[in-house]
């Protein structure tokens, strides 16, 4: 009896909770670390990027107004779904990164744990970043955190799962929505992650994932007037300058690429959350 | 309106030199170039002093001095740095009257405001951040947060000494050294501050003051040995700065323009709201980035509120800034006056209705009467662009949702005001307004413990409070 022919997956984009192909009809070949054909991934265009921004903007009021408890539970749910697909991610990482099965397992575990870690921050970051301020007068004065808005993220080129999860989770846990340009070389785990997100009660549009060329797509996102911030973690030096210059047009918050190579297994700290938080201070008189 | 006898504050208390150099490495030095500028009293157009224009080489000297001083200052125990900053706060308190008069002369603001608002806040700011200098490990930025290095700071002309305090106090507390460029139309209090640094025996080079206009500021911002850029001013210049630091490791905070909505609901205490509206837009001649320049009033009380507002505006006194009864002082410069006129003319041309109280205008100097535009549409330039003058644009709304929609319909997001007696509505509004500061049943209140800064195109970073430390620490 002949061996059964596998049913392969078509890898598409993830926009507004749906999985469309690139409107441009373009795709590109994704190869394993050994140079074998893995899949044709969608190559996102400028228009796809705009659609993704529109979806992220549409999702922002609902997601930012959700209770912190609710957002925390949804991130935890993402961790649960990721854990359930552990085997699939291990094999994708082995293919994409050329790492051994054991190492790939560690990376998937770390990605799950990272989501759990960030899930717990949803209702605590405000407590450590906000303050009641002792002003010199009869006023109640309170500073609290709010999400910046729509964040464009250039995901790390290496670490196609752990790095990706480590840049998405801190952006959305505080109530931002995002458009992510996935690793160009190893985009397949990002679309499988999108399947996880799509089945985790995460509202459509909170995370949008584009595959293709960061150098082509990211500058459009950085210059887009309805994007509030850019995370350039995965941009090379030249692309980072281009994007930071474009971001100046509407004073986007910019998180520059790390000055030393990121260690995704290290304690992430709170910087990735605080980079995309605003502080709002409310005054009210005290009197009878 | 009651007649008041003139009550001018004496200007004899200030000693303005005919000419000023640059303050570099604790010394007054002449600029390397020929550049000289004059600063004038905007209320009389009288020349107050001649001021050096620092060129690129002068800025470089100042940055080098700051770099050298950084070794000393950053290594000094925080408790010692604190005492220097406390000393500065005390000297400012001791010299408050003189500094208030100097500020009023150079800027045109009423002495009442310089004396009662600017100077107390300046001293309070230094006093507040002095106390942080030896407590940084408790600030929530890790066990041993480090300073950034040399801070290049560029400040505006609307609150010259207060903006200096907002910039220099946290920078020094965190262990950075500073090169500060005051605005070209209001350099005198920054130059007086240089003298205060000498009186306080601050180590040379910790604070350097370079005067000049935009080119001097640009040279400072792009200097490769500057680690931190702090700017308060227009969104247009903020954009240029954000672009110019792209690709560097410079940390940047920007406090830029605004077009704040001041929102009055029908249940508000209307008399208090009127005072808040006046304070929101006519404080400091409206030269305030967080000014409540768009009044959004609920339709049901619009007529009543506007009648009361106009009655109140008819009692405002415009004139000599040094007169203690003056409410509205001089516009800071001819250029700013031209901009206010241009936008006001655009308001009329676009169909809004213009109103000002009868108000005698002095013959000399730069003046603009308090002005209210009604019938303003969201598309009008006077509803969208920052006028930075005593000009209020009035729009109406029916529902809270419409108020939020209109208030947020701007690329800016610095501040907002809400007037209602209903607590739940106030908090609902406050949570939906995309602005860094929300004043409810008050307006234009400032305090060193309270973080200040904008959303969106009003810039990024916060000044004041624990939050203000982050801008000057490597975190």
């Amino acid at each position: 009896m002949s061996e059964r022919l596998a049913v392969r997956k078509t890898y598409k984009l993830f926009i507004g909770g749906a999985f469309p192909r690139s409107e441009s009809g373009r795709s590109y070949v994704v190869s394993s670390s050994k140079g074998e054909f893995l899949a044709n991934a969608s190559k996102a265009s400028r228009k796809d990027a705009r659609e993704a921004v529109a979806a992220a903007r549409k999702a922002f009021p609902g997601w930012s107004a959700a209770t912190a408890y609710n957002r925390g539970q949804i991130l935890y749910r993402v961790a649960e779904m990721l854990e359930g697909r552990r085997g699939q991610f291990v094999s994708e990482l082995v293919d994409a990164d050329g790492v051994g099965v054991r190492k790939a397992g560690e990376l998937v575990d770390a990605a799950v744990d990272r989501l759990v870690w960030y899930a717990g921050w949803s209702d605590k970051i405000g407590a450590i970043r906000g303050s009641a301020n002792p002003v010199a007068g009869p006023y109640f004065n309170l500073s609290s955190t709010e999400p910046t808005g729509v964040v464009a993220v250039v995901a790390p080129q290496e670490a196609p799962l752990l790095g990706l999860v480590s840049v998405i989770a801190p952006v959305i846990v505080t109530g931002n929505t995002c458009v992510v340009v996935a690793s160009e070389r190893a985009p397949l785990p990002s679309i499988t992650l999108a399947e996880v997100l799509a089945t985790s009660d995460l509202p459509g549009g909170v995370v949008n994932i584009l595959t293709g060329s960061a150098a082509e797509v990211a500058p459009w996102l950085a210059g887009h007037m309805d994007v509030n911030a850019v995370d350039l973690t995965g941009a090379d030096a030249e692309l980072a300058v281009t994007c930071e210059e474009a971001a100046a047009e509407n004073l986007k918050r910019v998180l520059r690429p790390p000055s030393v190579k990121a260690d995704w297994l290290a304690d992430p700290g709170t910087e990735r959350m605080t980079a995309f938080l605003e502080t709002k201070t409310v005054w009210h008189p005290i009197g009878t | 309106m009651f007649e008041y006898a003139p009550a001018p504050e004496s200007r004899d208390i200030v000693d303005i030199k005919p000419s000023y150099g640059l303050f570099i490495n604790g010394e007054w030095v002449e600029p390397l170039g020929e550049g000289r500028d004059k600063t004038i009293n905007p209320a009389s157009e009288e020349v107050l002093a001649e001021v050096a224009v620092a060129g690129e080489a002068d800025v470089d000297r100042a940055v080098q001095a700051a770099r050298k001083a950084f070794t000393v200052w950053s290594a000094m125990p925080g408790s010692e740095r604190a005492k220097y900053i406390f000393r500065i706060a005390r000297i400012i308190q001791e010299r408050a009257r003189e500094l208030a008069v100097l500020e009023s002369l150079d800027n045109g603001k009423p002495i009442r405001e310089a004396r009662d608002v600017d100077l107390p806040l300046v001293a309070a700011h230094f006093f507040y951040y002095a106390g942080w200098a030896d407590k940084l490990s408790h600030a929530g930025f890790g066990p041993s947060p480090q300073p950034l290095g040399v801070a290049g700071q560029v400040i505006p002309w609307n609150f010259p000494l207060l903006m200096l305090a907002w910039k220099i106090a946290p920078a020094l507390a965190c262990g950075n050294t500073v090169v500060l460029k005051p605005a070209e139309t209001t350099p005198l209090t920054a130059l007086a501050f240089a003298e205060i640094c000498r009186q306080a025996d601050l180590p040379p080079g910790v604070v350097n003051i370079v005067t000049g206009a935009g080119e001097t500021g640009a040279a400072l911002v792009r200097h490769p040995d500057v680690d931190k850029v702090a700017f308060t001013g227009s969104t247009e210049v903020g954009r240029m700065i954000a672009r110019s630091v792209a690709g560097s490791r410079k940390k940047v905070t920007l406090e830029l323009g605004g077009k704040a909505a001041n929102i009055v609901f029908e249940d508000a205490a209307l008399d208090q709201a009127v005072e808040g509206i006046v304070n929101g837009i006519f404080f400091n001649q409206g030269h305030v980035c967080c000014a409540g320049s768009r009044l959004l009033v609920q339709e049901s009380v619009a007529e009543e509120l506007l009648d009361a507002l106009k009655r109140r505006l008819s009692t405002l006194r415009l004139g000599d800034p040094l007169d203690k009864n003056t409410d509205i002082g001089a516009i800071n410069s001819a250029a700013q006056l031209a901009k206010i006129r241009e936008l006001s003319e655009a308001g009329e041309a676009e169909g809004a209705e213009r109103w000002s109280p009868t108000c005698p205008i002095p013959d000399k100097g730069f003046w603009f009467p308090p002005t209210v535009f009604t019938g303003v549409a969201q598309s009008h330039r006077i509803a969208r662009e920052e006028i930075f003058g005593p000009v209020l644009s009035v729009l109406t709304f029916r529902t809270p949702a419409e108020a939020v929609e209109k208030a947020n319909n701007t690329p800016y997001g610095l501040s907002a005001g809400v007037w209602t007696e209903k607590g739940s509505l106030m908090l609902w509004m406050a949570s939906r307004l995309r602005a860094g500061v929300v004043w409810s049943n008050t307006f234009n209140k400032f305090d060193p413990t309270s973080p200040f800064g904008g959303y969106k195109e009003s810039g990024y970073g916060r000044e004041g409070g624990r939050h203000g430390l982050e801008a000057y620490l490597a975190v």
Side-chain angles (χ1 to χ4, degrees):
Chain A
M1 207 171 85
S2 64
E3 210 174 298
R4 181 179 170 276
L5 188 66
V7 179
R8 284 181 180 167
K9 180 158 81 185
T10 308
Y11 288 87
K12 297 187 282 187
L13 308 175
F14 183 53
I15 299 175
F19 290 88
R21 286 191 174 83
S22 170
E23 62 78 34
S24 66
R26 300 180 307 171
S27 64
Y28 71 110
V29 172
V30 178
S31 305
S32 74
S33 57
K34 299 190 187 95
E36 293 153 350
F37 172 82
L38 289 177
N40 291 307
S42 283
K43 189 171 186 191
S45 66
R46 172 188 175 185
K47 187 160 185 291
D48 294 318
R50 286 205 307 255
E51 296 286 344
V53 171
R57 174 57 62 195
K58 198 173 161 200
F60 180 70
W63 182 242
S64 57
T67 64
Y69 182 36
N70 183 228
R71 284 199 303 266
Q73 288 185 90
I74 288 174
L75 255 79
Y76 188 80
R77 180 77 176 156
V78 176
E80 290 177 348
M81 294 292 108
L82 187 54
E83 179 91 34
R85 292 208 195 201
R86 190 177 183 280
Q88 183 183 6
F89 279 103
V90 167
S91 86
E92 282 197 2
L93 285 186
V94 169
D95 285 345
D97 251 8
V99 292
V101 171
R102 177 195 284 267
K103 180 68 183 169
E106 280 171 24
L107 292 169
V108 177
D109 292 345
V112 174
D113 292 354
R114 178 109 339 136
L115 281 161
V116 172
W117 189 76
Y118 275 118
W121 268 117
S122 69
D123 47 10
K124 297 166 193 72
I125 189 73
I128 67 157
R129 294 290 294 186
S131 54
N133 308 306
V135 296
Y139 295 92
F140 175 75
N141 179 294
L142 190 76
S143 294
S144 45
T145 56
E146 286 191 352
T148 295
V150 173
V151 183
V153 181
V154 183
Q157 288 296 311
E158 82 293 5
L161 179 65
L162 179 58
L164 181 69
V165 165
S166 300
V167 295
I168 292 175
V171 168
I172 63 171
V173 70
T174 57
N176 295 292
T177 60
C178 64
V179 176
V180 184
V181 185
S183 167
E184 184 170 352
R185 178 186 62 78
L188 304 187
S190 76
I191 296 305
T192 309
L193 181 71
E195 293 163 12
V196 166
L197 299 174
T199 51
S200 303
D201 296 330
L202 188 74
V206 171
V207 175
N208 305 275
I209 299 178
L210 304 173
T211 54
S213 162
E216 180 192 340
V217 175
W220 293 115
L221 293 170
H224 195 297
M225 294 299 276
D226 207 23
V227 171
N228 301 99
V230 284
D231 173 354
L232 300 175
T233 298
D236 63 31
E238 190 188 345
L239 178 60
V241 175
T242 306
C243 288
E244 190 173 344
E245 283 173 350
E249 188 56 31
N250 65 340
L251 280 317
K252 289 180 185 70
R253 287 77 177 114
V254 176
L255 184 62
R256 291 178 181 141
S259 48
V260 291
K261 194 174 179 297
D263 174 7
W264 295 110
L265 288 163
D267 178 348
T270 55
E271 294 80 33
R272 292 192 164 273
M273 288 182 285
T274 57
F276 307 112
L277 284 175
E278 305 293 322
T279 296
K280 176 184 280 179
T281 301
V282 178
W283 293 66
H284 197 281
I286 297 170
T288 53
Chain B
M1 184 147 116
F2 294 113
E3 289 298 324
Y4 279 65
E9 177 74 50
S10 166
R11 62 179 285 179
D12 294 345
I13 193 170
V14 301
D15 176 22
I16 302 175
K17 292 184 219 158
S19 163
Y20 288 88
L22 306 169
F23 185 67
I24 295 175
N25 204 32
E27 303 289 339
W28 292 106
V29 298
E30 286 305 306
L32 299 170
E34 298 293 300
R36 285 267 154 196
D37 204 356
K38 289 182 173 65
T39 184
I40 62 167
N41 177 348
S44 64
E45 299 174 57
E46 153 209 9
V47 173
L48 293 170
E50 207 179 71
V51 177
V53 174
E56 198 147 2
D58 297 310
V59 168
D60 183 55
R61 280 196 293 170
V63 172
Q64 282 184 33
R67 172 61 58 195
K68 197 159 150 252
F70 178 65
T71 319
V72 177
W73 187 248
S74 61
M76 190 184 287
S79 53
E80 295 298 297
R81 282 204 310 270
K83 287 190 281 183
Y84 279 112
I85 305 168
F86 278 125
R87 249 191 210 180
I88 290 171
R90 280 298 196 228
I91 298 174
I92 288 165
Q93 288 174 327
E94 288 154 13
R95 297 177 60 177
R97 186 166 162 206
E98 169 203 347
L99 291 167
V101 172
L102 187 59
E103 194 78 301
S104 179
L105 280 172
D106 203 17
N107 168 277
K109 66 174 65 202
I111 184 66
R112 190 164 53 79
E113 292 178 9
R115 182 193 67 197
D116 298 347
V117 181
D118 294 55
L119 262 297
L121 280 172
V122 170
H125 223 84
F126 278 102
F127 204 88
Y128 174 78
Y129 276 109
W132 268 122
D134 54 0
K135 300 168 192 69
L136 297 172
S137 58
H138 301 282
F141 302 110
S144 177
Q146 297 300 308
L148 293 161
V150 175
Q153 308 179 318
V154 179
I155 58 169
W157 45 261
N158 57 342
F159 296 94
L161 196 58
L162 182 56
M163 291 300 104
L164 174 148
W166 283 25
K167 297 283 179 288
I168 291 184
L172 297 194
C174 292
N176 304 276
T177 55
V178 161
V179 179
L180 177 128
K181 188 200 86 68
E184 65 270 32
T185 59
T186 55
L188 294 184
T189 47
L191 295 166
F193 181 80
E195 278 300 331
I196 290 172
C197 293
R198 277 162 63 119
Q199 289 185 338
D201 285 332
L202 193 70
V206 172
V207 169
N208 303 276
I209 309 279
V210 291
T211 45
E215 279 183 34
T216 308
L220 178 56
V221 165
R222 67 167 176 257
H223 194 291
D225 206 25
V226 162
D227 303 292
K228 156 78 192 178
V229 173
F231 172 75
T232 296
S234 72
T235 291
E236 186 193 346
V237 175
R239 261 191 261 283
M240 283 161 51
I241 291 174
R243 211 171 282 131
S244 79
V245 300
S248 75
R249 301 308 299 182
K250 288 175 188 172
K251 192 165 184 170
V252 184
T253 44
L254 301 170
E255 202 268 90
L256 310 175
K259 193 73 193 177
N262 201 358
I263 305 161
V264 182
F265 284 95
E266 59 187 0
D267 73 325
L270 291 188
D271 287 346
Q272 288 173 31
V274 166
E275 290 307 309
I277 294 161
V278 171
N279 181 41
I281 185 64
F282 302 115
F283 172 60
N284 204 33
Q285 296 71 249
H287 300 330
V288 186
C289 46
C290 52
S293 53
R294 285 183 298 153
L295 173 63
L296 300 186
V297 52
Q298 199 156 21
E299 213 172 74
S300 48
V301 291
E303 210 178 305
E304 186 187 347
L305 182 81
L306 282 171
D307 286 348
L309 178 65
K310 287 177 180 177
R311 269 199 308 279
R312 177 69 181 86
L313 294 184
S314 303
T315 68
L316 292 181
R317 289 159 195 282
L318 179 147
D320 180 10
L322 282 185
D323 191 308
K324 290 171 223 167
N325 293 320
T326 292
D327 298 302
I328 311 262
I331 300 302
N332 180 252
S333 66
Q336 187 56 31
L337 180 59
K339 188 187 159 199
I340 297 167
R341 283 184 175 149
E342 198 250 325
L343 275 161
S344 299
E345 277 154 25
E348 273 183 291
E350 288 185 310
E353 193 182 322
R354 179 175 183 164
W355 180 90
S356 287
T358 328
C359 175
I361 300 285
D363 300 332
K364 274 192 175 165
F366 315 125
W367 308 92
F368 200 86
T371 299
V372 176
F373 278 99
T374 49
V376 177
Q378 292 188 81
S379 57
H380 289 170
R381 284 182 68 195
I382 54 169
R384 291 185 290 118
E385 296 178 32
E386 185 175 40
I387 300 172
F388 223 64
V391 180
L392 179 68
S393 300
V394 184
L395 298 92
T396 58
F397 67 92
R398 289 182 180 173
T399 64
E402 187 188 351
V404 168
E405 184 75 29
K406 284 184 168 166
N408 287 341
N409 184 13
T410 165
Y412 296 114
L414 191 51
S415 65
V418 182
W419 298 83
T420 171
E421 292 297 289
K422 193 175 172 193
S424 56
L425 175 61
M426 184 278 280
L427 292 171
W428 188 88
M429 289 297 293
S431 68
R432 275 158 185 78
L433 293 166
R434 301 289 288 167
V437 183
V438 177
W439 285 294
S440 38
N441 293 337
T442 185
F443 210 94
N444 270 347
K445 290 285 180 289
F446 309 93
D447 192 276
T449 68
S450 176
F452 183 92
Y455 283 37
K456 302 195 282 186
E457 294 186 29
S458 291
Y460 34 77
R462 291 293 176 270
E463 295 182 287
R466 186 193 68 84
H467 294 74
L469 297 169
E470 188 175 359
Y472 292 95
L473 292 171
V475 288

